[in-house]
Amino acid sequence: MNLVIEIGNTTTKFAIFDKHNLIELIRFTNNEYDVSILDKYALKNIILAGSGKIDPAIFDKIKADKKLIFDKSMIQHIKIKYKTPETLGPDRLI
């Protein structure tokens, strides 16, 4: 199982995937999320992205084999056709 965490300006979303299949999508009001809801999953990988305030300490609360914080520098070779790509936050890019 894999987890994608997207921290937006108003909500935080946890998306749990089994390969390419979305298993569960959980939405929280920012800074009100409860990671214990993830205990029922054997998570292998986590990717964290967002336009809101990202607290890397969230990783300490979730068990997984690999953990990654996404940022814009990771997609340097992807062509973005948006007229003003510099205005896109990491949450929109991911």
Side-chain angles (χ1 to χ4, degrees):
M1 297 282 187
N2 299 305
L3 170 65
V4 176
I5 302 172
E6 192 276 314
I7 300 175
N9 291 317
T10 57
T11 61
T12 296
K13 294 172 265 328
F14 291 1
I16 298 98
F17 291 89
D18 184 7
K19 298 187 180 172
H20 298 288
N21 300 314
L22 178 64
I23 302 300
E24 186 171 1
L25 177 63
I26 308 162
R27 295 176 189 264
F28 298 98
T29 301
N30 275 347
N31 301 320
E32 305 266 336
Y33 48 84
D34 178 9
V35 297
S36 68
I37 198 163
L38 302 171
D39 290 344
K40 61 185 174 183
Y41 298 105
L43 298 172
K44 294 284 185 189
N45 306 294
I46 301 173
I47 187 166
L48 172 64
S51 57
K53 182 181 177 189
I54 295 177
D55 181 4
I58 190 173
F59 281 151
D60 298 335
K61 301 175 185 177
I62 304 171
K63 295 176 187 173
D65 296 339
K66 295 181 183 177
K67 302 173 182 183
L68 174 74
I69 297 176
F70 175 83
D71 68 31
K72 289 181 181 184
S73 68
M74 295 177 174
I75 60 164
Q76 295 174 10
H77 303 292
I78 296 175
K79 185 173 182 175
I80 299 170
K81 293 184 178 183
Y82 194 74
K83 289 182 182 180
T84 55
E86 67 280 353
T87 65
L88 294 175
D91 58 327
R92 299 278 308 276
L93 290 171
I94 197 164

